[in-house]
Amino acid sequence: MLVMESADSIRSLYRHFLSGITGKSLNAFYYACSYAKVDYSRFMNVTASLALKLVPAQLRSQPVLLCIDDTMISKFGTKFEDVSNLFDHAAHHGSNYLNGHCFVSLMLCVPVWLNRKIVYQSVPLGYRMWQKKESKLDLAASMVRQVMPELSSEKNVIILCDSWYAKKNLVRIVDEYSNLDVVCNARLDSVMYDLPPEPTGKRGRPAKRGRRLSAKDDFDLSGQKAGGYHTGVRRVFTNIFGEREVLAYVTSAGKTDGSRRLFFSTVFPWQLQVFCAWQEKAPLSQTGSSWMKYIPLFLYAYRWNIEVSYYEQKTFWSLCHYMVRRREGIEMLVNLVNMAYCAMKLLPYKDEKFSGYRTKSVQEFRFALSEQIRKQIFYATFIKNIENNIKSNAVMKALKQLVRRQGIHL
């Protein structure tokens, strides 16, 4: 995949590269994808473990983030296993429905140093194909449970998700792990209640919750914009999180008019240790004492990284081009594409020789690496052939010198 800079199909990979370096048949690679006894769910644990090793010792107290979302891939025909008619709210082809597959994915964001600033390096851990027998919420929760053992030593692990995933099946998973929290967008009409009133001393059971709150009427927005929005915050109870007290944030572009958005956070600002002054990304880098209460909301901005990953993998990494028909083969190939993508994200931090590519796009690094791989393979094959067919020591010596001038050491 790295050499060809794409993975249009297994047949294409075999025809243009694999057949030249192996004696295996094309069917062997199809069989490996669909029938090999490989637990590709373990790919997520390995990738998460490698990503966490990038975090320097000075930043171990910083929160790590888990982004959850799903993406759709359009396919033609009905020959692909589990293909179905899906609703796509972001469709731009004249219809809100497409024929294809839906994949739920999980991304890990870890803090690293870059140009003396803290940036969050985003690594997609894996994809799971949605089937109608299991909801996307349960699928996402199982993926979180899969990687949480790797994150057990982290102080704060925060799930970031949009309003579609802000439901009990997923967000209640925070009750299973002491270091896990969630910051999520929510429907504006989500049911919220004020904190219970002070005991009156009268007979009877005291109220567990206060009056019902409205996101439109019961939040006082800040006079100054924080992160581009006027924001209001208060502690509430909500049906989504049961008896757990959470923070509710309401944002609006305008002080008196403009549409409002609602967010919930199970983590409170004083539970986080965020080095705001060293952050590269605003508004975290601009956070002063008056904005400290908005830190969980500011962290939500990193959820957009998963959308960037979808765009790059679909546009430059052939994520949509698979032609394998069985579900196991499709998931295997999609996750192999994701592994190649993650390798290009992690390698500049793992190997100092490639540190110059930390500020480059993964596509640019892939191009540079694929060029060197092609040279290595060409010269290795070339030398092997001439050693078998050319007997002149003088010619052999001249050819080897020419190869070495190209920077290839055999």
Side-chain angles (χ1 to χ4, degrees), residues 189-318:
D189 59 356
S190 298
V191 177
M192 296 179 290
Y193 298 94
D194 200 359
L195 300 184
E198 294 293 331
T200 60
K202 297 180 180 180
R203 295 178 61 183
R205 186 177 63 181
K208 292 185 177 181
R209 298 180 175 183
R211 66 184 180 86
R212 184 166 175 172
L213 300 175
S214 168
K216 295 182 179 180
D217 303 322
D218 295 309
F219 283 77
D220 295 327
L221 301 183
S222 60
Q224 182 183 7
K225 286 188 176 182
Y229 295 92
H230 298 283
T231 307
V233 57
R234 64 189 302 165
R235 297 161 70 173
V236 301
F237 288 106
T238 176
N239 289 348
I240 299 175
F241 294 97
E243 301 303 316
R244 184 173 185 142
E245 183 182 329
V246 299
L247 284 178
Y249 293 93
V250 172
T251 65
S252 177
K255 175 70 173 177
T256 57
D257 56 353
S259 60
R260 295 192 173 195
R261 299 181 68 195
L262 175 64
F263 301 84
F264 292 127
S265 171
T266 63
V267 64
F268 293 85
W270 55 87
Q271 297 173 323
L272 296 170
Q273 185 177 359
V274 180
F275 300 154
C276 296
W278 296 97
Q279 296 287 334
E280 181 190 52
K281 191 170 183 177
L284 274 178
S285 59
Q286 304 167 351
T287 301
S289 57
S290 61
W291 283 13
M292 294 297 289
K293 57 187 176 182
Y294 302 134
I295 285 181
L297 179 63
F298 293 159
L299 290 174
Y300 182 81
Y302 288 102
R303 195 206 69 83
W304 186 252
N305 292 4
I306 200 169
E307 303 289 354
V308 176
S309 170
Y310 290 153
Y311 171 77
E312 290 186 331
Q313 291 192 4
K314 288 182 177 182
T315 306
F316 306 110
W317 291 80
S318 307

Side-chain angles (χ1 to χ4, degrees), residues 14 32-33 44 68 70 94 97 99 112 179 193 206 226 266 300 311 322 358 360 375 381 401:
Y14 181 83
C33 274
M44 295 195 300
I68 297 173
D70 59 85
Y97 291 88
N99 184 70
V112 296
N179 64 335
Y193 298 94
T266 63
Y300 182 81
Y311 171 77
Y322 57 83
R358 292 177 182 176
K360 308 289 186 180
K375 284 183 179 180
T381 305
Q401 288 177 348

Side-chain angles (χ1 to χ4, degrees), residues 10-11 14 23-35:
I10 294 178
R11 181 183 296 274
Y14 181 83
K24 299 292 184 181
S25 67
L26 173 61
N27 285 340
F29 293 95
Y30 279 116
Y31 186 91
C33 274
S34 296
Y35 298 100

Side-chain angles (χ1 to χ4, degrees), residues 85-212:
N85 198 30
L86 305 169
F87 177 78
D88 184 8
H89 66 88
H92 300 288
H93 50 75
S95 173
N96 286 328
Y97 291 88
L98 61 83
N99 184 70
H101 292 125
C102 179
F103 291 90
V104 177
S105 67
L106 184 68
M107 170 180 277
L108 176 65
C109 303
V110 296
V112 296
W113 288 113
L114 185 62
N115 298 328
R116 299 183 180 180
K117 291 289 185 178
I118 299 174
V119 300
Y120 271 85
Q121 183 62 265
S122 304
V123 183
L125 300 181
Y127 290 86
R128 293 294 176 269
M129 185 189 294
W130 171 70
Q131 304 171 68
K132 293 181 180 180
K133 63 182 181 182
E134 185 179 16
S135 76
K136 289 188 284 186
L137 297 167
D138 294 332
L139 195 58
S142 67
M143 296 176 74
V144 173
R145 292 188 181 98
Q146 174 74 31
V147 301
M148 277 307 294
E150 308 296 333
L151 306 174
S152 59
S153 61
E154 301 300 316
K155 181 182 178 182
N156 293 110
V157 181
I158 302 175
I159 296 174
L160 308 178
C161 59
D162 61 18
S163 58
W164 198 96
Y165 285 91
K167 298 176 178 67
K168 294 179 183 179
N169 306 48
L170 176 62
V171 299
R172 291 288 182 90
I173 196 175
V174 299
D175 297 327
E176 301 176 19
Y177 303 93
S178 59
N179 64 335
L180 184 62
D181 285 285
V182 62
V183 178
C184 62
N185 187 207
R187 287 172 56 101
L188 198 62
D189 59 356
S190 298
V191 177
M192 296 179 290
Y193 298 94
D194 200 359
L195 300 184
E198 294 293 331
T200 60
K202 297 180 180 180
R203 295 178 61 183
R205 186 177 63 181
K208 292 185 177 181
R209 298 180 175 183
R211 66 184 180 86
R212 184 166 175 172

